[in-house]
């Protein structure tokens, strides 16, 4: 089998060595004579997986011993759109609208109270990040999306706000260094940069909870999961385990700092070709370009079939843009080897030679 160069936006590429360890654990987990798929989630072996996964997520982000709790929940990042509002929205919340996912988060929050959209980039089909907006100080929290997976834009700065700061980091968690203690809550569906689909990392500062007057059903209440160390009900055992393997891999490689260096190199390589090669143009505003998802188009649409043929023949997978943007999207998550980007750049140059 020839391995593909996988630029898929999610579920995404994971490190090859993680696939190997993960498959071994299906056959025999920790030399227990049992598969990871058949052990009790209350077994000592799995309890220690969950513990390590929660601790390592905080360690990688520099959030240990700072009043944060890490949870691995189910329902995807989409479930967090409503859980954040359910748990935090008493009267009014402020949201920054930077794309499809932010729009969906806003829609869910409106079930629970008033939503102030502080700014939106919808006027240009979300190809930039709005700046210089004012966040109302009387809102219960401010919600933003650090990386817009579909449109290929990424927030480079997060202004400090006086109210709790909540961020959907689904598609760039663990990809760059930052002072993460600015955030009061971070959530991320695992399948973009951390693991397989099926679990969502939620990191929450405990002191922002308990401020709403409504009653919250147990499964949707962060306090339930915090009290039970993320084991209130059966967690997504395998998804958590493979996420742990990926986090261990990141840690071994030098943590978020090393990931960022590599991600910057990969992104620079591709964007410089997009800017150099006259057959291509970038979709997102340059200053807001994402290091994770690069969106671009052909300048001459009639070359589409030829380009598609070339990259497919080279073993590239997952390059088609999202239906709401069209064109192409190259997702360059942590585990994507630089060689994959070089290969894509070569194909772009080959198109130039043949056009
Ligand atoms: C993919 C994605 C989501 C949705 O994640 P699900 O786990 O499928 O619910 C939300 N936000 C962002 C930024 C995403 O990239």
């Amino acid at each position: 089998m020839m391995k593909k160069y996988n630029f898929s936006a999610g579920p995404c590429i994971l490190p090859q060595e993680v696939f190997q360890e993960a498959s071994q654990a299906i056959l025999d987990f920790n030399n227990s004579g049992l598969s990871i798929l058949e052990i009790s989630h209350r077994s000592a072996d799995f309890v220690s997986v969950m513990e390590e996964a929660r601790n390592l997520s905080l360690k990688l982000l520099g959030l240990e011993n700072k009043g944060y709790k890490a949870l691995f929940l189910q329902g995807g990042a989409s479930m967090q759109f409503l859980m954040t509002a359910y748990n935090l929205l008493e009267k009014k919340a402020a949201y920054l609208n930077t794309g499809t996912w932010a729009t969906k988060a806003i829609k869910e929050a409106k079930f629970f109270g008033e939503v102030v959209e502080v700014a939106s980039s919808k006027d240009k089909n979300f190809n930039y990040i709005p700046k210089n907006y004012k966040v109302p100080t009387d809102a219960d929290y401010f919600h933003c999306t650090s990386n817009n997976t579909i449109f290929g834009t990424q927030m480079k700065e997060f202004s400090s706000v006086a109210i709790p700061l909540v961020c959907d980091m689904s598609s760039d968690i663990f990809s760059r260094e930052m002072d993460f203690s600015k955030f009061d809550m971070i959530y991320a569906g695992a399948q973009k940069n951390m693991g397989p689909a099926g679990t969502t990392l939620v990191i929450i500062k405990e002191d922002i909870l308990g401020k709403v007057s409504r009653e919250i059903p147990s499964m949707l209440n962060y306090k339930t999961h915090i009290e039970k160390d993320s084991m209130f009900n059966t967690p997504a055992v395998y998804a958590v385990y493979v996420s742990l393997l990926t986090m261990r891999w990141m840690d071994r490689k030098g943590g978020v700092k090393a990931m960022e260096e590599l991600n910057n190199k990969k992104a620079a390589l591709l964007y410089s070709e997009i800017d150099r090669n006259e057959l291509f143009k970038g979709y997102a505003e340059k200053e807001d370009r994402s290091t994770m998802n690069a969106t671009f188009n052909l300048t001459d649409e009639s070359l589409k079939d030829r380009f598609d043929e070339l990259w497919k023949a080279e073993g590239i997978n997952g390059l088609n843009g999202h239906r709401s943007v069209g064109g192409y999207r190259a997702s360059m998550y942590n585990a994507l080897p630089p060689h994959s980007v070089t290969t894509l750049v070569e194909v772009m140059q080959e198109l130039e030679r043949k056009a």
Side-chain angles (χ1 to χ4, degrees):
M1 176 192 68
M2 183 192 147
K3 213 40 202 166
K4 293 266 169 80
Y5 301 105
N6 191 7
F7 288 90
S8 175
C12 77
I13 185 169
L14 294 173
Q16 200 55 35
E17 53 199 88
V18 166
F19 288 139
Q20 304 231 324
E21 286 174 275
S23 53
Q24 178 53 38
I26 289 185
L27 299 173
D28 183 8
F29 176 54
N30 282 358
N31 296 316
S32 62
L34 294 166
S35 165
I36 178 86
L37 302 182
E38 65 181 342
I39 58 164
S40 164
H41 62 290
R42 305 282 173 204
S43 65
D45 276 350
F46 184 73
V47 170
S48 108
V49 164
M50 180 60 98
E51 278 290 308
E52 188 186 341
R54 293 171 59 226
N55 292 335
L56 192 49
S57 67
L58 294 177
K59 182 191 159 197
L60 285 167
L61 299 177
L63 292 178
E64 282 172 308
N65 305 317
K66 291 185 179 165
Y68 291 86
K69 281 275 158 40
L71 306 168
F72 284 89
L73 305 182
Q74 298 186 55
S78 301
M79 182 67 94
Q80 294 311 307
F81 296 162
L82 78 97
M83 270 179 84
T84 47
Y86 217 144
N87 284 261
L88 304 174
L89 206 174
E90 177 73 7
K91 281 204 171 68
K92 179 166 96 178
Y95 278 69
L96 180 63
N97 192 355
T98 51
T100 308
W101 299 116
T103 304
K104 289 188 173 178
I106 290 167
K107 180 180 175 215
E108 298 307 302
K110 284 181 178 166
F111 284 105
F112 301 93
E114 184 190 343
V115 172
V116 182
E117 206 175 286
V118 298
S120 167
S121 46
K122 194 171 179 203
D123 57 336
K124 292 186 179 170
N125 200 27
F126 301 111
N127 77 341
Y128 71 104
I129 301 282
K131 293 166 197 89
N132 302 319
Y133 44 81
K134 276 220 158 57
V135 177
T137 51
D138 61 343
D140 298 319
Y141 62 90
F142 175 51
H143 180 286
C144 58
T145 312
S146 56
N147 185 70
N148 300 284
T149 327
I150 293 175
F151 300 96
T153 63
Q154 188 173 33
M155 292 178 76
K156 307 291 171 182
E157 270 168 39
F158 297 84
S159 42
S160 296
V161 286
I163 54 176
L165 180 57
V166 176
C167 189
D168 175 359
M169 292 194 190
S170 292
S171 51
D172 68 352
I173 186 105
F174 304 129
S175 73
R176 55 175 168 169
E177 282 200 300
M178 220 192 289
D179 175 10
F180 291 98
S181 67
K182 262 188 192 174
F183 301 93
D184 296 273
M185 186 185 153
I186 293 167
Y187 62 87
Q191 72 276 16
K192 303 284 168 48
N193 209 19
M194 181 173 74
T199 191
T200 304
L201 173 62
V202 174
I203 292 177
I204 192 159
K205 212 165 186 185
E206 275 189 280
D207 63 9
I208 66 169
L209 296 173
K211 309 248 162 94
V212 293
S213 53
R214 74 175 65 84
E215 295 215 60
I216 306 173
S218 313
M219 270 298 280
L220 298 177
N221 193 335
Y222 292 123
K223 284 189 166 178
T224 306
H225 298 286
I226 288 172
E227 277 163 21
K228 299 291 182 191
D229 295 329
S230 206
M231 300 273 274
F232 171 67
N233 69 322
T234 318
V237 170
Y238 194 60
V240 173
Y241 178 64
V242 181
S243 298
L244 170 62
L245 294 179
T246 313
M247 288 190 285
R248 280 184 188 157
W249 171 85
M250 291 183 222
D251 200 29
R252 279 200 302 278
K253 296 279 169 191
V256 172
K257 184 173 192 287
M259 296 296 128
E260 177 174 23
E261 282 167 15
L262 206 59
N263 291 332
N264 285 343
K265 278 190 194 144
K266 289 184 286 183
L269 194 64
L270 181 56
Y271 283 122
S272 64
E273 179 62 18
I274 290 171
D275 292 340
R276 187 205 61 79
N277 191 327
E278 287 181 359
L279 299 184
F280 296 94
K281 59 175 190 294
Y283 177 79
E285 289 286 342
K286 281 189 183 171
E287 61 176 5
D288 301 323
R289 280 173 166 175
S290 165
T291 56
M292 296 278 94
N293 316 95
T295 43
F296 56 98
N297 296 82
L298 283 163
T299 46
D300 175 359
E301 276 299 316
S302 73
L303 292 173
K304 185 179 183 321
D305 289 347
R306 197 180 301 176
F307 183 53
D308 291 354
E309 220 169 85
L310 281 177
W311 58 263
K312 282 175 190 163
E314 212 46 54
I316 287 174
N317 171 69
L319 204 63
N320 285 322
H322 189 271
R323 58 191 181 280
S324 55
V325 186
Y328 300 95
R329 170 173 55 171
S331 296
M332 301 174 282
Y333 296 115
N334 288 350
L336 184 84
H339 177 60
S340 299
V341 181
T342 316
T343 304
L344 173 57
V345 166
E346 281 165 10
V347 170
M348 293 163 80
Q349 292 173 352
E350 192 181 342
L351 181 74
E352 188 184 37
R353 279 195 301 277
K354 289 187 176 169

